[in-house]
Amino acid sequence: MLLPLLTLLLSFSGTVLGQLEDSKFEDDVDLADFGLDIAPRRVPRQVKTIITKETKPHIQELSIKTTIISRYAFTAVYCSLLNRHPAASEGVFQFQIPANAYISNFTMIIGGRVYQSEVKPKEKRVKQERGKSGTKEPGDASPEPEVEVFRMAAKIPGRNRAVFLLTYEELLQRRLGRYEHMTSLRPMQLVSRLSLDVTIVDHSLITDLEVLPLQNGKSNAAANTATAPKAPNIPAKPELPITTVIKNEKNVCKITFSPNIIQQAKITTSGILGDFVIRYDVQRDMGIGDIQVLNGHFVHYFAPKDLPAVPKNVVFVIDTSASMLGTKIRQTKDALFTILRDLRPGDNFNFVSFSNKIKVWQPNRLVPVTPLNIRDAKKFIYMLAPTGGTNIDGAIQTGSSLLRDYLLGPDSSPNSVSLIIFLTDGRPTVGEIQSVAILGNTRSAVQEKFCIFTIGIGNDVDYRLLERMALENCGMMRRINEEADASAMLKGFYNEIGTPLLSDIRINYTENSVQYVTQNLFTNYFNGSEIVVAGKLTNESAESLHVQVTASNNDKSIILETDVPLRHRQIDTEKNVKLATAAMATGVRGLGTDVTQKLGVALGSVAEDFVERVWGFLSIKEGLRSRLRSQTSKDREGHTQQATNLSMTYHFLTPLTNMVVEKPEVLTDGTMAPAPTITPGAGEATSPANELPGDTDDREQQTPGRNLNSQALSQSNTIGKVVRRPTKKSITFSKTSADGDPHFVVEFPLSKLTVCFNINGEPGHILGLVSDHKYSGVTVNGKLIGAPAPPGSHKQQRTYFSTITIVVDKPQRAYIEVTPKKVILDARDRIVLPCHSTVSVDSGALSVAIVGNSNVTVTVGGNISFVILLHRYKNPAPYQRDHLGFYIGNNKGLSHNCHGLLGQFLYEEVGLAELPAQGDTKPSLVLKVKNRSVPVVQKSRRIYSGTQSVDCWFARNNAAKLIDGEYKDYLMSHMFDTGDWPHGTNQV
């Protein structure tokens, strides 16, 4: 995710920021300085006054680009701030993101320097007695609100610009039959160029598309949510936000919103435009649902339709303590009156109210839905009067007893759905007040026979207690803010869970064909929702995957099963990704720069792995839920470690990680401080020949940075720890390697010759470096990324290795995947290791040793080893990319039939011969290899991170005649492809 976005920013540093050098800053205000996309003479006087009197840096451009592929949304936010004053000034970038989303990158460019964020695990804290300002443990904070505010303040040098790029990802949840995507447009000032571009691409036909008017408050959004499904046959025609353009073509939909500064001012001059909300659904067929397959991962969307509703048994437990007095109890009553009208014949229900005392409407029973019972229930609700304290434990015990006794009685239907809907606005003050005891009592009372759905109103609620109570008892929790329309949100929440269609859902896949599958057992499925399961395929070359769904509907058992053609689904998913990337690569109508086009290209590159990221996203959410409901410290620690590792792998800011970015330093005269001198690290260190450079400690000596907490998401200064320099580890390995651009070097010890060649591949190509799958079971593949060529270069672009995978099939299948930031070891267990740490892991078939920020050594079976150099840049130039270098350390365990771009030469002998001169030409040298003559010239190459030069004989034209076959024969279909060399032998 980070690499293409960093590429994008580096291109900005050479263009957008470079434009500043040509700008003329005068003491008098010139509207052209603000980057307005309309003629200054057409700007109303009021708007001119507002923007010219601004003392803080002005937002020249705010571009937001989202692509939603099969319900998974990638969003990139680009913000350019201009400080037109000679003195340095603090610029503030602030953006609201949905609480369900995870930030995946934050980067700043200030003074032409790139400041890239890094995600790190939160350190364990020793529990201390907390005062009012005590910090909360990770995961112990109140559950997420509807949105979170990301805020970053940084000094901008005088007469300069700053660029901020924020990216986040989320899996859209289906509620009330619609997916909803919200973008907050609250820049807090008028923006010279504002644009929003949302692209939706789905495997199925997009239906019921709706763009709401800008939502300026939480109450009207909630009201729209509650009322949306009530009139499905009457299409709502809300007024579109001004300048909104919708293009809908079956599986692809594009929505743009780009008001100029005058149109923004007509909405509001405060810069708080509101939320831009899009709702839609997709067409569904009966069956097991929609399965997407991409790069060895799958995601399964299951949302059956046209099923009869399952009868439900529901007990409403309502807080009537004194704090509910006024608006809260009035709105609660209003919602309950509506809910009573929505109960169906065949449902059974009861009410419990609680404060100091607990009152039951119909003692010792649940009653059926009849006109008479509905009328009496309305009377009970009408007479509710707030008073006294809050006995949460007693209320839950009473409601559970009612429901449990009913289920044991003769009137209970075996396949009905039973639930408690619990509402409170406070913390426990009467009876049992300890959360741990309340949760234990609740588990004992529920006995896994029904679910508890909890609702909290306001700010004085123990939301962690409510969330744990719901999670431990197969329910979910909903938060209603103090200023929100509680009546509308209560109705909306009930509408989500009021129509159960299935119970006891189990989704199974072919045994031993999948692994690391997310939750596949579900207590209930409610109308208008969706079940999502993701996992990893153990065999990517398998033709099909058998899927079986079992569930209960009323008195019937349902079994759905089919064989999913994996290759066909992979092709379909790849088509969707191509559609998305093509749509995203186009700019926004009316926008004068190519910013949105570049944002689209960046998003498109990460979208290529969206199925795996869906799996990672779901797995983290699942790990956090399991952590919250764990009963022992050992279980809690296990779930914490798993979720932390995944957060690091996908660079997600979660409750278990911090996001740290270096703090720009601005001098008192308003200019940037000189760039710090960096001691050479990996890729620059000096060391003896054939000795791997050790780690340097200056990368860990972080300057004061920003700690972006996932709860508060506000800036605070932190000082990083100084990590001691690990002892240098001498590792002897050959010159046979693929490093840099990439430059290939092959050492022939028997012939005492070294040969070199280049491979001019394309970004995204996967090259087979070592292929010995049939014999030793070892395969090594490398993936290329692109970068612009440095100034004066004859090339248009350069390529480097961004990822290297080592797959082992003997004695058992395992693999290691290495990137400049992390190492994934998947053997007996899946382990994710950060590259900035020094650590060794032995998993049996594979062992890995990392020297932090320097190198990774992989050993297979004791007689095969590979060394991967980590080339990372702290403040990269526009043409620099973090990348990898691959070296063969010990090849004794590889067979003589080994192949690949490097592997084919391991056991070969070569010789040099001189061709006689012809005419005026000079004699030329050829390399004799495998009965072929290859023209060569002598060159010098730098290897081992530039610490040693080697003289070599260079073969031109993509190593034509030197390698078996052609370059395209070494292109692999995916990173774990162990396909055999098509010619079957080293001889041609």
Side-chain angles (χ1 to χ4, degrees):
M1 177 74 185
L2 294 179
L3 207 52
L5 294 172
L6 186 56
T7 301
L8 165 74
L9 277 171
L10 290 170
S11 68
F12 285 143
S13 68
T15 55
V16 175
L17 294 178
Q19 296 168 5
L20 190 60
E21 300 175 1
D22 299 325
S23 299
K24 294 182 179 179
F25 289 90
E26 305 291 346
D27 292 334
D28 295 331
V29 173
D30 184 354
L31 289 181
D33 288 341
F34 293 90
L36 294 177
D37 53 2
I38 54 177
R41 59 185 175 80
R42 296 179 55 195
V43 179
R45 182 177 301 172
Q46 179 188 14
V47 176
K48 286 182 182 178
T49 302
I50 291 173
I51 62 176
T52 55
K53 286 189 175 181
E54 283 181 349
T55 57
K56 57 186 179 183
H58 174 70
I59 301 178
Q60 279 194 306
E61 183 159 359
L62 178 62
S63 297
I64 306 157
K65 191 134 188 171
T66 295
T67 179
I68 305 171
I69 307 180
S70 293
R71 297 77 141 175
Y72 194 68
F74 299 88
T75 299
V77 182
Y78 168 90
C79 180
S80 173
L81 283 174
L82 168 68
N83 176 18
R84 62 178 309 279
H85 303 288
S89 180
E90 184 176 72
V92 178
F93 170 69
Q94 181 171 304
F95 197 83
Q96 288 187 1
I97 67 168
N100 189 53
Y102 286 146
I103 293 173
S104 52
N105 177 62
F106 174 68
T107 305
M108 302 183 292
I109 301 179
I110 298 178
R113 296 180 199 159
V114 178
Y115 299 89
Q116 175 72 42
S117 66
E118 185 175 358
V119 171
K120 294 187 176 183
K122 283 187 178 178
E123 295 183 0
K124 291 183 179 179
R125 298 176 183 174
V126 179
K127 288 188 177 180
Q128 298 176 347
E129 200 170 320
R130 300 178 190 170
K132 290 184 178 179
S133 60
T135 57
K136 296 182 178 180
E137 292 290 325
D140 290 346
S142 297
E144 300 164 335
E146 293 177 6
V147 293
E148 289 179 339
V149 179
F150 181 97
R151 185 178 187 275
M152 172 55 71
K155 286 284 187 180
I156 303 176
R159 297 177 176 175
N160 215 317
R161 288 187 180 93
V163 167
F164 300 90
L165 180 68
L166 175 73
T167 65
Y168 59 88
E169 302 173 26
E170 65 173 319
L171 179 64
L172 301 187
Q173 297 178 358
R174 188 170 184 255
R175 293 177 177 171
L176 306 172
R178 300 278 189 91
Y179 302 100
E180 181 174 290
H181 181 266
M182 182 272 291
T183 306
S184 175
L185 298 174
R186 292 173 170 84
M188 311 304 289
Q189 59 174 267
L190 296 175
V191 179
S192 296
R193 294 188 298 274
L194 172 66
S195 67
L196 169 65
D197 184 358
V198 180
T199 301
I200 305 171
V201 179
D202 208 283
H203 175 70
S204 305
L205 180 69
I206 297 171
T207 63
D208 302 324
L209 181 70
E210 179 184 20
V211 177
L212 302 184
L214 290 172
Q215 306 291 299
N216 294 309
K218 295 176 181 176
S219 58
N220 58 1
N224 283 322
T225 301
T227 58
K230 286 302 182 182
N233 297 324
I234 305 175
K237 294 183 179 179
E239 183 179 348
L240 293 177
I242 190 170
T243 77
T244 300
V245 177
I246 302 174
K247 295 180 180 179
N248 193 355
E249 298 178 2
K250 294 183 179 180
N251 299 65
V252 180
C253 178
K254 190 164 185 177
I255 301 106
T256 59
F257 174 66
S258 52
N260 61 36
I261 201 165
I262 299 175
Q263 292 164 330
Q264 294 170 48
K266 288 180 179 178
I267 300 171
T268 175
T269 57
S270 67
I272 304 177
L273 300 176
D275 297 328
F276 192 94
V277 178
I278 300 169
R279 289 191 184 133
Y280 73 97
D281 199 14
V282 296
Q283 193 174 77
R284 287 177 172 78
D285 298 324
M286 292 294 290
I288 56 101
D290 180 21
I291 294 182
Q292 305 278 296
V293 178
L294 190 65
N295 298 336
H297 289 78
F298 75 92
V299 58
H300 182 184
Y301 302 97
F302 180 62
K305 60 179 182 176
D306 300 330
L307 294 171
V310 176
K312 61 181 178 290
N313 313 306
V314 56
V315 176
F316 299 90
V317 182
I318 308 299
D319 187 348
T320 56
S321 60
S323 57
M324 288 286 290
L325 189 66
T327 303
K328 291 179 185 176
I329 194 65
R330 187 182 70 250
Q331 292 183 340
T332 300
K333 289 180 179 182
D334 180 50
L336 291 176
F337 289 145
T338 302
I339 290 170
L340 278 174
R341 292 196 298 268
D342 291 340
L343 290 173
R344 294 180 178 83
D347 292 345
N348 297 277
F349 70 106
N350 204 341
F351 284 92
V352 175
S353 67
F354 70 97
S355 55
N356 287 49
K357 298 179 180 180
I358 297 171
K359 296 179 182 179
V360 180
W361 170 52
Q362 296 286 341
N364 305 319
R365 62 177 182 152
L366 268 64
V367 300
V369 174
T370 65
L372 182 61
N373 286 336
I374 294 295
R375 187 193 67 184
D376 290 345
K378 287 182 178 180
K379 291 180 182 178
F380 177 80
I381 294 170
Y382 181 77
M383 296 301 294
L384 294 177
T387 182
T390 310
N391 188 354
I392 289 178
D393 185 60
I396 288 290
Q397 296 300 309
T398 300
S400 299
S401 177
L402 281 170
L403 200 47
R404 192 175 59 246
D405 291 346
Y406 174 79
L407 293 176
L408 294 174
D411 297 331
S412 172
S413 170
N415 289 319
S416 59
V417 170
S418 301
L419 49 97
I420 288 177
I421 297 178
F422 176 84
L423 180 146
T424 185
D425 76 329
R427 300 171 180 270
T429 61
V430 177
E432 181 58 69
I433 62 173
Q434 297 298 321
S435 295
V436 174
I438 294 173
L439 291 169
N441 294 341
T442 302
R443 286 193 299 272
S444 300
V446 172
Q447 299 175 6
E448 298 185 352
K449 294 183 181 298
F450 47 86
C451 302
I452 298 180
F453 295 82
T454 59
I455 305 167
I457 302 178
N459 302 322
D460 191 33
V461 178
D462 187 346
Y463 281 107
R464 187 167 185 268
L465 170 63
L466 296 191
E467 186 172 31
R468 287 196 63 180
M469 186 182 293
L471 287 177
E472 291 178 4
N473 298 283
C474 66
M476 58 183 175
M477 189 273 299
R478 188 59 48 85
R479 176 175 184 156
I480 300 177
N481 291 291
E482 197 80 46
E483 68 275 15
D485 183 347
S487 176
M489 295 195 72
L490 281 171
K491 294 172 190 173
F493 184 58
Y494 176 78
N495 286 338
E496 289 183 43
I497 63 175
T499 309
L501 298 183
L502 295 174
S503 60
D504 301 323
I505 305 103
R506 178 187 293 268
I507 303 179
N508 293 321
Y509 305 93
T510 309
E511 190 175 0
N512 299 326
S513 293
V514 296
Q515 58 183 345
Y516 307 117
V517 177
T518 58
Q519 179 184 351
N520 66 331
L521 301 176
F522 302 88
T523 306
N524 299 305
Y525 168 74
F526 297 101
N527 187 38
S529 64
E530 184 172 59
I531 289 173
V532 184
V533 182
K536 185 176 179 182
L537 300 171
T538 55
N539 182 8
E540 294 184 37
S541 60
E543 293 185 1
S544 64
L545 177 69
H546 187 74
V547 183
Q548 182 188 67
V549 180
T550 61
S552 297
N553 171 256
N554 212 339
D555 293 327
K556 299 177 182 177
S557 294
I558 294 176
I559 300 178
L560 304 171
E561 54 186 327
T562 190
D563 290 319
V564 178
L566 293 178
R567 184 58 188 162
H568 177 70
R569 293 299 171 90
Q570 167 100 8
I571 293 172
D572 283 349
T573 307
E574 289 173 347
K575 287 180 181 177
N576 289 341
V577 171
K578 288 180 180 178
L579 284 173
T581 52
M584 290 185 293
T586 59
V588 173
R589 173 180 166 270
L591 192 59
T593 71
D594 64 345
V595 170
T596 54
Q597 186 173 1
K598 292 182 178 179
L599 286 176
V601 171
L603 288 176
S605 60
V606 298
E608 293 174 359
D609 292 321
F610 90 90
V611 176
E612 180 183 350
R613 299 189 76 84
V614 171
W615 172 81
F617 185 93
L618 284 174
S619 298
I620 293 170
K621 293 285 186 185
E622 190 173 300
L624 292 174
R625 289 195 298 269
S626 298
R627 176 181 184 270
L628 190 59
R629 61 173 176 252
S630 57
Q631 302 300 313
T632 66
S633 58
K634 183 178 180 181
D635 285 345
R636 179 182 172 88
E637 181 61 32
H639 294 308
T640 299
Q641 190 61 49
Q642 179 191 29
T644 301
N645 288 343
L646 287 170
S647 301
M648 298 287 292
T649 299
Y650 296 102
H651 206 262
F652 283 156
L653 179 60
T654 71
L656 300 175
T657 55
N658 285 326
M659 185 171 278
V660 181
V661 62
E662 184 184 352
K663 179 182 179 181
E665 185 179 353
V666 179
L667 302 178
T668 54
D669 62 358
T671 61
M672 293 288 292
T677 302
I678 301 175
T679 305
E684 301 169 344
T686 58
S687 61
N690 287 351
E691 184 177 312
L692 202 60
D695 185 30
T696 55
D697 59 0
D698 56 84
R699 290 177 188 253
E700 296 295 335
Q701 290 177 331
Q702 298 174 354
T703 55
R706 309 288 193 201
N707 183 341
L708 308 184
N709 187 282
S710 64
Q711 299 297 331
L713 288 174
S714 60
Q715 89 182 26
S716 60
N717 291 339
T718 61
I719 306 295
K721 286 189 175 180
V722 177
V723 178
R724 291 185 180 180
R725 182 191 307 242
T727 304
K728 287 187 178 182
K729 187 176 181 181
S730 296
I731 302 174
T732 302
F733 53 97
S734 74
K735 301 170 185 175
T736 301
S737 59
D739 205 346
D741 189 10
H743 301 313
F744 287 76
V745 176
V746 179
E747 185 178 24
F748 295 91
L750 296 177
S751 307
K752 296 183 179 180
L753 288 174
T754 301
V755 177
C756 50
F757 59 92
N758 292 347
I759 291 294
N760 297 318
E762 294 295 327
H765 280 181
I766 298 171
L767 306 184
L769 303 177
V770 177
S771 179
D772 199 29
H773 172 67
K774 278 189 175 181
Y775 302 95
S776 66
V778 174
T779 303
V780 182
N781 297 325
K783 185 174 184 178
L784 297 177
I785 57 165
S793 174
H794 64 282
K795 295 184 177 181
Q796 291 186 345
Q797 73 168 0
R798 305 202 296 183
T799 53
Y800 302 89
F801 286 117
S802 64
T803 308
I804 289 174
T805 57
I806 301 169
V807 181
V808 177
D809 276 326
K810 297 178 181 180
Q812 61 197 34
R813 185 172 177 84
Y815 75 83
I816 285 181
E817 181 177 342
V818 182
T819 72
K821 290 188 177 294
K822 68 177 183 291
V823 175
I824 300 174
L825 170 61
D826 196 322
R828 289 174 298 205
D829 298 302
R830 180 181 172 92
I831 303 172
V832 181
L833 304 169
C835 285
H836 60 74
S837 300
T838 297
V839 65
S840 298
V841 177
D842 188 350
S843 68
L846 283 171
S847 65
V848 58
I850 304 175
V851 177
N853 289 324
S854 179
N855 61 76
V856 178
T857 301
V858 178
T859 304
V860 184
N863 58 359
I864 302 173
S865 65
F866 306 109
V867 180
I868 300 168
L869 301 190
L870 307 172
H871 302 293
R872 297 180 63 180
Y873 303 91
K874 189 170 185 180
N875 292 306
Y879 53 85
Q880 291 175 322
R881 298 289 180 272
D882 289 352
H883 62 280
L884 305 172
F886 175 75
Y887 290 76
I888 294 180
N890 182 1
N891 65 288
K892 290 181 180 179
L894 295 172
S895 76
H896 284 256
N897 293 297
C898 183
H899 214 272
L901 283 169
L902 289 175
Q904 64 185 296
F905 299 112
L906 295 179
Y907 298 101
E908 293 292 339
E909 292 188 40
V910 297
L912 278 176
E914 185 177 87
L915 294 180
Q918 295 182 357
D920 296 334
T921 62
K922 296 181 180 180
S924 59
L925 292 173
V926 294
L927 189 75
K928 293 290 187 177
V929 55
K930 302 179 186 179
N931 300 320
R932 299 191 294 263
S933 296
V934 185
V936 292
V937 296
Q938 195 163 19
K939 278 198 173 186
S940 179
R941 281 280 165 82
R942 297 188 69 83
I943 57 175
Y944 308 146
S945 299
T947 62
Q948 183 179 342
S949 292
V950 58
D951 293 329
C952 59
W953 295 99
F954 179 73
R956 297 188 179 94
N957 303 323
N958 259 8
K961 295 186 179 181
L962 175 67
I963 60 175
D964 293 339
E966 301 176 0
Y967 163 73
K968 65 181 181 180
D969 295 323
Y970 298 85
L971 297 181
M972 313 301 282
S973 61
H974 54 82
M975 289 300 295
F976 304 95
D977 188 353
T978 58
D980 298 317
W981 168 245
H983 296 279
T985 173
N986 286 3
Q987 302 300 323
V988 197

